[in-house]
Amino acid sequence: MRKSKNVIYIKNAQQIEGIRRSGRLASRALDLVAERLKPGVTTEYLDKLVHDYITANGGIPATLGYKGSRGTIPFPASSCISINEVVVHGIPGPRVIKDGDLVSVDVTAILDGYYGDTARTFLVGQAPEVARRLTEATEESLRLAIAVVKNGTRLGDIGDAIQTHVESKGFSVVRYFVGHGVGLKFHEEPAVPHHGKKGTGMRLKSGMVFTIEPMINEGVYDVKVLSDGWTAVTADGKLSAQFEHTMAVTADGADVLTLSD
């Protein structure tokens, strides 16, 4: 999901702490999903866990009713749950989780007006070896990208770190969706591509807050959006995985704001 108005907000220390609180709430909701995720549960059951946890702790699920930027219907759930070939924006419903599924869950919480956005991919039961390798490569690519973030880093350095790593593993980087500024609004500038050339693009500045959320495909990087206007799937029907953190840029590195305890 992405919607912004070409304004980059430099956050102060108080705002960053507010974003951290919302990010921690979103991450704790994912912790709960991790505890309950198993064969036989439905995606709407997992979504209700997320909804109930966020609202019970004073928050609002940011995706519920979100209208997006492409004239789609409002998103009808409190989380995005994407299984196997679904890249992103999967709509929870009666689908039953099966042994071997690859399940990506994306949660954004609003707390006291601040947004925290995070996602993880989970392997259910005896997942195929390629699913395990894809999930590990995706999580590693996020870690490598976070490691290059600091004041003065260029956006292209982030994309290069991700692209170089996953392509060395035989996978591909989705181009259609990007990371984004976040914190005071759900989607802000800058857009953060997950592919690119080192030494190119905007220079990062301390106080910028954004997500890095690589979506990595087993096969081709192309995607297609289904008729519901939200669900994006791989063009070749192969697997996709996603990990995401919200972070603040500092002089020395990235301060990751979506960590649970």
mmCIF file with all atom_site columns, all heavy atoms in Angstrom, residues 116-140:
data_model
loop_
_atom_site.group_PDB
_atom_site.id
_atom_site.type_symbol
_atom_site.label_atom_id
_atom_site.label_alt_id
_atom_site.label_comp_id
_atom_site.label_asym_id
_atom_site.label_entity_id
_atom_site.label_seq_id
_atom_site.pdbx_PDB_ins_code
_atom_site.Cartn_x
_atom_site.Cartn_y
_atom_site.Cartn_z
_atom_site.occupancy
_atom_site.B_iso_or_equiv
_atom_site.pdbx_formal_charge
_atom_site.auth_seq_id
_atom_site.auth_comp_id
_atom_site.auth_asym_id
_atom_site.auth_atom_id
_atom_site.pdbx_PDB_model_num
ATOM 1   N N   . GLY A 1 116 ? 2.863  2.602   13.102 1.00 0.00 ? 116 GLY A N   1
ATOM 2   C CA  . GLY A 1 116 ? 3.982  1.662   13.079 1.00 0.00 ? 116 GLY A CA  1
ATOM 3   C C   . GLY A 1 116 ? 3.628  0.494   12.187 1.00 0.00 ? 116 GLY A C   1
ATOM 4   O O   . GLY A 1 116 ? 2.568  -0.120  12.349 1.00 0.00 ? 116 GLY A O   1
ATOM 5   N N   . ASP A 1 117 ? 4.507  0.149   11.245 1.00 0.00 ? 117 ASP A N   1
ATOM 6   C CA  . ASP A 1 117 ? 4.197  -0.786  10.158 1.00 0.00 ? 117 ASP A CA  1
ATOM 7   C C   . ASP A 1 117 ? 5.255  -1.885  10.120 1.00 0.00 ? 117 ASP A C   1
ATOM 8   O O   . ASP A 1 117 ? 6.460  -1.591  10.040 1.00 0.00 ? 117 ASP A O   1
ATOM 9   C CB  . ASP A 1 117 ? 4.197  0.017   8.853  1.00 0.00 ? 117 ASP A CB  1
ATOM 10  C CG  . ASP A 1 117 ? 3.640  -0.745  7.663  1.00 0.00 ? 117 ASP A CG  1
ATOM 11  O OD1 . ASP A 1 117 ? 3.258  -1.913  7.820  1.00 0.00 ? 117 ASP A OD1 1
ATOM 12  O OD2 . ASP A 1 117 ? 3.588  -0.149  6.565  1.00 0.00 ? 117 ASP A OD2 1
ATOM 13  N N   . THR A 1 118 ? 4.813  -3.143  10.153 1.00 0.00 ? 118 THR A N   1
ATOM 14  C CA  . THR A 1 118 ? 5.768  -4.251  10.181 1.00 0.00 ? 118 THR A CA  1
ATOM 15  C C   . THR A 1 118 ? 5.146  -5.505  9.584  1.00 0.00 ? 118 THR A C   1
ATOM 16  O O   . THR A 1 118 ? 3.925  -5.650  9.547  1.00 0.00 ? 118 THR A O   1
ATOM 17  C CB  . THR A 1 118 ? 6.239  -4.521  11.629 1.00 0.00 ? 118 THR A CB  1
ATOM 18  O OG1 . THR A 1 118 ? 7.273  -5.501  11.628 1.00 0.00 ? 118 THR A OG1 1
ATOM 19  C CG2 . THR A 1 118 ? 5.101  -4.981  12.520 1.00 0.00 ? 118 THR A CG2 1
ATOM 20  N N   . ALA A 1 119 ? 5.992  -6.405  9.092  1.00 0.00 ? 119 ALA A N   1
ATOM 21  C CA  . ALA A 1 119 ? 5.510  -7.653  8.488  1.00 0.00 ? 119 ALA A CA  1
ATOM 22  C C   . ALA A 1 119 ? 6.526  -8.753  8.701  1.00 0.00 ? 119 ALA A C   1
ATOM 23  O O   . ALA A 1 119 ? 7.733  -8.499  8.791  1.00 0.00 ? 119 ALA A O   1
ATOM 24  C CB  . ALA A 1 119 ? 5.239  -7.464  6.991  1.00 0.00 ? 119 ALA A CB  1
ATOM 25  N N   . ARG A 1 120 ? 6.028  -9.983  8.755  1.00 0.00 ? 120 ARG A N   1
ATOM 26  C CA  . ARG A 1 120 ? 6.887  -11.162 8.837  1.00 0.00 ? 120 ARG A CA  1
ATOM 27  C C   . ARG A 1 120 ? 6.297  -12.276 7.980  1.00 0.00 ? 120 ARG A C   1
ATOM 28  O O   . ARG A 1 120 ? 5.086  -12.322 7.756  1.00 0.00 ? 120 ARG A O   1
ATOM 29  C CB  . ARG A 1 120 ? 7.002  -11.689 10.277 1.00 0.00 ? 120 ARG A CB  1
ATOM 30  C CG  . ARG A 1 120 ? 7.543  -10.721 11.298 1.00 0.00 ? 120 ARG A CG  1
ATOM 31  C CD  . ARG A 1 120 ? 7.557  -11.348 12.686 1.00 0.00 ? 120 ARG A CD  1
ATOM 32  N NE  . ARG A 1 120 ? 7.510  -10.333 13.731 1.00 0.00 ? 120 ARG A NE  1
ATOM 33  C CZ  . ARG A 1 120 ? 7.207  -10.579 14.998 1.00 0.00 ? 120 ARG A CZ  1
ATOM 34  N NH1 . ARG A 1 120 ? 6.922  -11.827 15.373 1.00 0.00 ? 120 ARG A NH1 1
ATOM 35  N NH2 . ARG A 1 120 ? 7.180  -9.596  15.882 1.00 0.00 ? 120 ARG A NH2 1
ATOM 36  N N   . THR A 1 121 ? 7.140  -13.177 7.557  1.00 0.00 ? 121 THR A N   1
ATOM 37  C CA  . THR A 1 121 ? 6.703  -14.379 6.859  1.00 0.00 ? 121 THR A CA  1
ATOM 38  C C   . THR A 1 121 ? 6.947  -15.588 7.751  1.00 0.00 ? 121 THR A C   1
ATOM 39  O O   . THR A 1 121 ? 8.019  -15.718 8.361  1.00 0.00 ? 121 THR A O   1
ATOM 40  C CB  . THR A 1 121 ? 7.442  -14.535 5.516  1.00 0.00 ? 121 THR A CB  1
ATOM 41  O OG1 . THR A 1 121 ? 7.048  -13.467 4.644  1.00 0.00 ? 121 THR A OG1 1
ATOM 42  C CG2 . THR A 1 121 ? 7.104  -15.861 4.855  1.00 0.00 ? 121 THR A CG2 1
ATOM 43  N N   . PHE A 1 122 ? 5.963  -16.462 7.814  1.00 0.00 ? 122 PHE A N   1
ATOM 44  C CA  . PHE A 1 122 ? 6.021  -17.659 8.646  1.00 0.00 ? 122 PHE A CA  1
ATOM 45  C C   . PHE A 1 122 ? 5.903  -18.904 7.773  1.00 0.00 ? 122 PHE A C   1
ATOM 46  O O   . PHE A 1 122 ? 5.165  -18.919 6.786  1.00 0.00 ? 122 PHE A O   1
ATOM 47  C CB  . PHE A 1 122 ? 4.871  -17.658 9.656  1.00 0.00 ? 122 PHE A CB  1
ATOM 48  C CG  . PHE A 1 122 ? 4.799  -16.432 10.514 1.00 0.00 ? 122 PHE A CG  1
ATOM 49  C CD1 . PHE A 1 122 ? 3.941  -15.385 10.178 1.00 0.00 ? 122 PHE A CD1 1
ATOM 50  C CD2 . PHE A 1 122 ? 5.577  -16.309 11.649 1.00 0.00 ? 122 PHE A CD2 1
ATOM 51  C CE1 . PHE A 1 122 ? 3.866  -14.248 10.970 1.00 0.00 ? 122 PHE A CE1 1
ATOM 52  C CE2 . PHE A 1 122 ? 5.513  -15.174 12.449 1.00 0.00 ? 122 PHE A CE2 1
ATOM 53  C CZ  . PHE A 1 122 ? 4.658  -14.135 12.104 1.00 0.00 ? 122 PHE A CZ  1
ATOM 54  N N   . LEU A 1 123 ? 6.609  -19.942 8.145  1.00 0.00 ? 123 LEU A N   1
ATOM 55  C CA  . LEU A 1 123 ? 6.494  -21.241 7.492  1.00 0.00 ? 123 LEU A CA  1
ATOM 56  C C   . LEU A 1 123 ? 5.671  -22.149 8.391  1.00 0.00 ? 123 LEU A C   1
ATOM 57  O O   . LEU A 1 123 ? 5.963  -22.281 9.585  1.00 0.00 ? 123 LEU A O   1
ATOM 58  C CB  . LEU A 1 123 ? 7.869  -21.842 7.240  1.00 0.00 ? 123 LEU A CB  1
ATOM 59  C CG  . LEU A 1 123 ? 8.785  -21.029 6.317  1.00 0.00 ? 123 LEU A CG  1
ATOM 60  C CD1 . LEU A 1 123 ? 10.157 -21.679 6.227  1.00 0.00 ? 123 LEU A CD1 1
ATOM 61  C CD2 . LEU A 1 123 ? 8.165  -20.885 4.938  1.00 0.00 ? 123 LEU A CD2 1
ATOM 62  N N   . VAL A 1 124 ? 4.654  -22.772 7.825  1.00 0.00 ? 124 VAL A N   1
ATOM 63  C CA  . VAL A 1 124 ? 3.723  -23.588 8.606  1.00 0.00 ? 124 VAL A CA  1
ATOM 64  C C   . VAL A 1 124 ? 4.044  -25.066 8.421  1.00 0.00 ? 124 VAL A C   1
ATOM 65  O O   . VAL A 1 124 ? 4.013  -25.596 7.303  1.00 0.00 ? 124 VAL A O   1
ATOM 66  C CB  . VAL A 1 124 ? 2.271  -23.315 8.169  1.00 0.00 ? 124 VAL A CB  1
ATOM 67  C CG1 . VAL A 1 124 ? 1.299  -24.133 9.016  1.00 0.00 ? 124 VAL A CG1 1
ATOM 68  C CG2 . VAL A 1 124 ? 1.954  -21.825 8.271  1.00 0.00 ? 124 VAL A CG2 1
ATOM 69  N N   . GLY A 1 125 ? 4.396  -25.731 9.516  1.00 0.00 ? 125 GLY A N   1
ATOM 70  C CA  . GLY A 1 125 ? 4.649  -27.168 9.464  1.00 0.00 ? 125 GLY A CA  1
ATOM 71  C C   . GLY A 1 125 ? 5.825  -27.522 8.567  1.00 0.00 ? 125 GLY A C   1
ATOM 72  O O   . GLY A 1 125 ? 6.868  -26.872 8.585  1.00 0.00 ? 125 GLY A O   1
ATOM 73  N N   . GLN A 1 126 ? 5.645  -28.534 7.743  1.00 0.00 ? 126 GLN A N   1
ATOM 74  C CA  . GLN A 1 126 ? 6.705  -29.038 6.878  1.00 0.00 ? 126 GLN A CA  1
ATOM 75  C C   . GLN A 1 126 ? 6.682  -28.310 5.532  1.00 0.00 ? 126 GLN A C   1
ATOM 76  O O   . GLN A 1 126 ? 6.181  -28.818 4.539  1.00 0.00 ? 126 GLN A O   1
ATOM 77  C CB  . GLN A 1 126 ? 6.543  -30.544 6.684  1.00 0.00 ? 126 GLN A CB  1
ATOM 78  C CG  . GLN A 1 126 ? 6.640  -31.351 7.973  1.00 0.00 ? 126 GLN A CG  1
ATOM 79  C CD  . GLN A 1 126 ? 8.006  -31.190 8.635  1.00 0.00 ? 126 GLN A CD  1
ATOM 80  O OE1 . GLN A 1 126 ? 9.039  -31.299 7.982  1.00 0.00 ? 126 GLN A OE1 1
ATOM 81  N NE2 . GLN A 1 126 ? 7.996  -30.943 9.935  1.00 0.00 ? 126 GLN A NE2 1
ATOM 82  N N   . ALA A 1 127 ? 7.209  -27.114 5.517  1.00 0.00 ? 127 ALA A N   1
ATOM 83  C CA  . ALA A 1 127 ? 7.225  -26.316 4.292  1.00 0.00 ? 127 ALA A CA  1
ATOM 84  C C   . ALA A 1 127 ? 8.299  -26.826 3.336  1.00 0.00 ? 127 ALA A C   1
ATOM 85  O O   . ALA A 1 127 ? 9.317  -27.380 3.767  1.00 0.00 ? 127 ALA A O   1
ATOM 86  C CB  . ALA A 1 127 ? 7.477  -24.849 4.625  1.00 0.00 ? 127 ALA A CB  1
ATOM 87  N N   . PRO A 1 128 ? 8.110  -26.651 2.031  1.00 0.00 ? 128 PRO A N   1
ATOM 88  C CA  . PRO A 1 128 ? 9.121  -27.075 1.055  1.00 0.00 ? 128 PRO A CA  1
ATOM 89  C C   . PRO A 1 128 ? 10.455 -26.364 1.280  1.00 0.00 ? 128 PRO A C   1
ATOM 90  O O   . PRO A 1 128 ? 10.506 -25.248 1.801  1.00 0.00 ? 128 PRO A O   1
ATOM 91  C CB  . PRO A 1 128 ? 8.496  -26.664 -0.283 1.00 0.00 ? 128 PRO A CB  1
ATOM 92  C CG  . PRO A 1 128 ? 7.043  -26.517 -0.019 1.00 0.00 ? 128 PRO A CG  1
ATOM 93  C CD  . PRO A 1 128 ? 6.919  -26.069 1.406  1.00 0.00 ? 128 PRO A CD  1
ATOM 94  N N   . GLU A 1 129 ? 11.529 -27.009 0.865  1.00 0.00 ? 129 GLU A N   1
ATOM 95  C CA  . GLU A 1 129 ? 12.868 -26.442 1.024  1.00 0.00 ? 129 GLU A CA  1
ATOM 96  C C   . GLU A 1 129 ? 12.984 -25.088 0.347  1.00 0.00 ? 129 GLU A C   1
ATOM 97  O O   . GLU A 1 129 ? 13.605 -24.163 0.879  1.00 0.00 ? 129 GLU A O   1
ATOM 98  C CB  . GLU A 1 129 ? 13.905 -27.406 0.451  1.00 0.00 ? 129 GLU A CB  1
ATOM 99  C CG  . GLU A 1 129 ? 15.334 -26.871 0.428  1.00 0.00 ? 129 GLU A CG  1
ATOM 100 C CD  . GLU A 1 129 ? 15.912 -26.612 1.813  1.00 0.00 ? 129 GLU A CD  1
ATOM 101 O OE1 . GLU A 1 129 ? 15.332 -27.104 2.808  1.00 0.00 ? 129 GLU A OE1 1
ATOM 102 O OE2 . GLU A 1 129 ? 16.933 -25.909 1.896  1.00 0.00 ? 129 GLU A OE2 1
ATOM 103 N N   . VAL A 1 130 ? 12.383 -24.921 -0.831 1.00 0.00 ? 130 VAL A N   1
ATOM 104 C CA  . VAL A 1 130 ? 12.491 -23.639 -1.530 1.00 0.00 ? 130 VAL A CA  1
ATOM 105 C C   . VAL A 1 130 ? 11.802 -22.535 -0.731 1.00 0.00 ? 130 VAL A C   1
ATOM 106 O O   . VAL A 1 130 ? 12.256 -21.383 -0.737 1.00 0.00 ? 130 VAL A O   1
ATOM 107 C CB  . VAL A 1 130 ? 11.917 -23.732 -2.964 1.00 0.00 ? 130 VAL A CB  1
ATOM 108 C CG1 . VAL A 1 130 ? 10.407 -23.976 -2.956 1.00 0.00 ? 130 VAL A CG1 1
ATOM 109 C CG2 . VAL A 1 130 ? 12.246 -22.479 -3.760 1.00 0.00 ? 130 VAL A CG2 1
ATOM 110 N N   . ALA A 1 131 ? 10.717 -22.868 -0.025 1.00 0.00 ? 131 ALA A N   1
ATOM 111 C CA  . ALA A 1 131 ? 10.042 -21.874 0.805  1.00 0.00 ? 131 ALA A CA  1
ATOM 112 C C   . ALA A 1 131 ? 10.943 -21.439 1.952  1.00 0.00 ? 131 ALA A C   1
ATOM 113 O O   . ALA A 1 131 ? 10.997 -20.253 2.302  1.00 0.00 ? 131 ALA A O   1
ATOM 114 C CB  . ALA A 1 131 ? 8.731  -22.442 1.336  1.00 0.00 ? 131 ALA A CB  1
ATOM 115 N N   . ARG A 1 132 ? 11.652 -22.389 2.538  1.00 0.00 ? 132 ARG A N   1
ATOM 116 C CA  . ARG A 1 132 ? 12.570 -22.055 3.625  1.00 0.00 ? 132 ARG A CA  1
ATOM 117 C C   . ARG A 1 132 ? 13.696 -21.159 3.125  1.00 0.00 ? 132 ARG A C   1
ATOM 118 O O   . ARG A 1 132 ? 14.033 -20.142 3.740  1.00 0.00 ? 132 ARG A O   1
ATOM 119 C CB  . ARG A 1 132 ? 13.161 -23.339 4.227  1.00 0.00 ? 132 ARG A CB  1
ATOM 120 C CG  . ARG A 1 132 ? 14.076 -23.091 5.426  1.00 0.00 ? 132 ARG A CG  1
ATOM 121 C CD  . ARG A 1 132 ? 14.841 -24.334 5.829  1.00 0.00 ? 132 ARG A CD  1
ATOM 122 N NE  . ARG A 1 132 ? 15.738 -24.791 4.769  1.00 0.00 ? 132 ARG A NE  1
ATOM 123 C CZ  . ARG A 1 132 ? 16.920 -24.221 4.507  1.00 0.00 ? 132 ARG A CZ  1
ATOM 124 N NH1 . ARG A 1 132 ? 17.342 -23.182 5.208  1.00 0.00 ? 132 ARG A NH1 1
ATOM 125 N NH2 . ARG A 1 132 ? 17.671 -24.708 3.537  1.00 0.00 ? 132 ARG A NH2 1
ATOM 126 N N   . ARG A 1 133 ? 14.289 -21.508 1.966  1.00 0.00 ? 133 ARG A N   1
ATOM 127 C CA  . ARG A 1 133 ? 15.382 -20.701 1.427  1.00 0.00 ? 133 ARG A CA  1
ATOM 128 C C   . ARG A 1 133 ? 14.919 -19.302 1.043  1.00 0.00 ? 133 ARG A C   1
ATOM 129 O O   . ARG A 1 133 ? 15.618 -18.317 1.280  1.00 0.00 ? 133 ARG A O   1
ATOM 130 C CB  . ARG A 1 133 ? 15.996 -21.402 0.212  1.00 0.00 ? 133 ARG A CB  1
ATOM 131 C CG  . ARG A 1 133 ? 16.752 -22.690 0.541  1.00 0.00 ? 133 ARG A CG  1
ATOM 132 C CD  . ARG A 1 133 ? 17.601 -23.169 -0.627 1.00 0.00 ? 133 ARG A CD  1
ATOM 133 N NE  . ARG A 1 133 ? 16.808 -23.542 -1.789 1.00 0.00 ? 133 ARG A NE  1
ATOM 134 C CZ  . ARG A 1 133 ? 16.703 -22.813 -2.894 1.00 0.00 ? 133 ARG A CZ  1
ATOM 135 N NH1 . ARG A 1 133 ? 17.343 -21.660 -3.002 1.00 0.00 ? 133 ARG A NH1 1
ATOM 136 N NH2 . ARG A 1 133 ? 15.945 -23.243 -3.911 1.00 0.00 ? 133 ARG A NH2 1
ATOM 137 N N   . LEU A 1 134 ? 13.728 -19.213 0.466  1.00 0.00 ? 134 LEU A N   1
ATOM 138 C CA  . LEU A 1 134 ? 13.183 -17.914 0.084  1.00 0.00 ? 134 LEU A CA  1
ATOM 139 C C   . LEU A 1 134 ? 12.934 -17.041 1.308  1.00 0.00 ? 134 LEU A C   1
ATOM 140 O O   . LEU A 1 134 ? 13.289 -15.846 1.318  1.00 0.00 ? 134 LEU A O   1
ATOM 141 C CB  . LEU A 1 134 ? 11.873 -18.120 -0.684 1.00 0.00 ? 134 LEU A CB  1
ATOM 142 C CG  . LEU A 1 134 ? 11.102 -16.856 -1.070 1.00 0.00 ? 134 LEU A CG  1
ATOM 143 C CD1 . LEU A 1 134 ? 11.903 -16.007 -2.040 1.00 0.00 ? 134 LEU A CD1 1
ATOM 144 C CD2 . LEU A 1 134 ? 9.736  -17.232 -1.664 1.00 0.00 ? 134 LEU A CD2 1
ATOM 145 N N   . THR A 1 135 ? 12.348 -17.629 2.338  1.00 0.00 ? 135 THR A N   1
ATOM 146 C CA  . THR A 1 135 ? 12.054 -16.873 3.555  1.00 0.00 ? 135 THR A CA  1
ATOM 147 C C   . THR A 1 135 ? 13.334 -16.390 4.220  1.00 0.00 ? 135 THR A C   1
ATOM 148 O O   . THR A 1 135 ? 13.442 -15.230 4.645  1.00 0.00 ? 135 THR A O   1
ATOM 149 C CB  . THR A 1 135 ? 11.238 -17.745 4.525  1.00 0.00 ? 135 THR A CB  1
ATOM 150 O OG1 . THR A 1 135 ? 10.015 -18.134 3.877  1.00 0.00 ? 135 THR A OG1 1
ATOM 151 C CG2 . THR A 1 135 ? 10.907 -17.000 5.807  1.00 0.00 ? 135 THR A CG2 1
ATOM 152 N N   . GLU A 1 136 ? 14.338 -17.250 4.298  1.00 0.00 ? 136 GLU A N   1
ATOM 153 C CA  . GLU A 1 136 ? 15.611 -16.860 4.899  1.00 0.00 ? 136 GLU A CA  1
ATOM 154 C C   . GLU A 1 136 ? 16.280 -15.753 4.090  1.00 0.00 ? 136 GLU A C   1
ATOM 155 O O   . GLU A 1 136 ? 16.803 -14.783 4.662  1.00 0.00 ? 136 GLU A O   1
ATOM 156 C CB  . GLU A 1 136 ? 16.537 -18.070 4.992  1.00 0.00 ? 136 GLU A CB  1
ATOM 157 C CG  . GLU A 1 136 ? 16.114 -19.084 6.042  1.00 0.00 ? 136 GLU A CG  1
ATOM 158 C CD  . GLU A 1 136 ? 17.046 -20.284 6.108  1.00 0.00 ? 136 GLU A CD  1
ATOM 159 O OE1 . GLU A 1 136 ? 17.945 -20.386 5.244  1.00 0.00 ? 136 GLU A OE1 1
ATOM 160 O OE2 . GLU A 1 136 ? 16.862 -21.112 7.011  1.00 0.00 ? 136 GLU A OE2 1
ATOM 161 N N   . ALA A 1 137 ? 16.268 -15.867 2.769  1.00 0.00 ? 137 ALA A N   1
ATOM 162 C CA  . ALA A 1 137 ? 16.901 -14.852 1.920  1.00 0.00 ? 137 ALA A CA  1
ATOM 163 C C   . ALA A 1 137 ? 16.207 -13.503 2.063  1.00 0.00 ? 137 ALA A C   1
ATOM 164 O O   . ALA A 1 137 ? 16.855 -12.443 2.075  1.00 0.00 ? 137 ALA A O   1
ATOM 165 C CB  . ALA A 1 137 ? 16.894 -15.300 0.464  1.00 0.00 ? 137 ALA A CB  1
ATOM 166 N N   . THR A 1 138 ? 14.890 -13.531 2.185  1.00 0.00 ? 138 THR A N   1
ATOM 167 C CA  . THR A 1 138 ? 14.126 -12.289 2.325  1.00 0.00 ? 138 THR A CA  1
ATOM 168 C C   . THR A 1 138 ? 14.438 -11.605 3.646  1.00 0.00 ? 138 THR A C   1
ATOM 169 O O   . THR A 1 138 ? 14.686 -10.388 3.696  1.00 0.00 ? 138 THR A O   1
ATOM 170 C CB  . THR A 1 138 ? 12.618 -12.576 2.212  1.00 0.00 ? 138 THR A CB  1
ATOM 171 O OG1 . THR A 1 138 ? 12.357 -13.274 0.987  1.00 0.00 ? 138 THR A OG1 1
ATOM 172 C CG2 . THR A 1 138 ? 11.822 -11.295 2.232  1.00 0.00 ? 138 THR A CG2 1
ATOM 173 N N   . GLU A 1 139 ? 14.440 -12.379 4.727  1.00 0.00 ? 139 GLU A N   1
ATOM 174 C CA  . GLU A 1 139 ? 14.751 -11.797 6.035  1.00 0.00 ? 139 GLU A CA  1
ATOM 175 C C   . GLU A 1 139 ? 16.189 -11.292 6.076  1.00 0.00 ? 139 GLU A C   1
ATOM 176 O O   . GLU A 1 139 ? 16.465 -10.215 6.628  1.00 0.00 ? 139 GLU A O   1
ATOM 177 C CB  . GLU A 1 139 ? 14.510 -12.821 7.136  1.00 0.00 ? 139 GLU A CB  1
ATOM 178 C CG  . GLU A 1 139 ? 14.647 -12.249 8.535  1.00 0.00 ? 139 GLU A CG  1
ATOM 179 C CD  . GLU A 1 139 ? 14.174 -13.192 9.610  1.00 0.00 ? 139 GLU A CD  1
ATOM 180 O OE1 . GLU A 1 139 ? 14.101 -14.417 9.365  1.00 0.00 ? 139 GLU A OE1 1
ATOM 181 O OE2 . GLU A 1 139 ? 13.881 -12.711 10.716 1.00 0.00 ? 139 GLU A OE2 1
ATOM 182 N N   . GLU A 1 140 ? 17.108 -12.035 5.500  1.00 0.00 ? 140 GLU A N   1
ATOM 183 C CA  . GLU A 1 140 ? 18.505 -11.592 5.440  1.00 0.00 ? 140 GLU A CA  1
ATOM 184 C C   . GLU A 1 140 ? 18.639 -10.305 4.640  1.00 0.00 ? 140 GLU A C   1
ATOM 185 O O   . GLU A 1 140 ? 19.428 -9.419  4.992  1.00 0.00 ? 140 GLU A O   1
ATOM 186 C CB  . GLU A 1 140 ? 19.365 -12.691 4.812  1.00 0.00 ? 140 GLU A CB  1
ATOM 187 C CG  . GLU A 1 140 ? 19.570 -13.905 5.711  1.00 0.00 ? 140 GLU A CG  1
ATOM 188 C CD  . GLU A 1 140 ? 20.146 -15.091 4.959  1.00 0.00 ? 140 GLU A CD  1
ATOM 189 O OE1 . GLU A 1 140 ? 20.359 -14.990 3.726  1.00 0.00 ? 140 GLU A OE1 1
ATOM 190 O OE2 . GLU A 1 140 ? 20.372 -16.142 5.596  1.00 0.00 ? 140 GLU A OE2 1
#
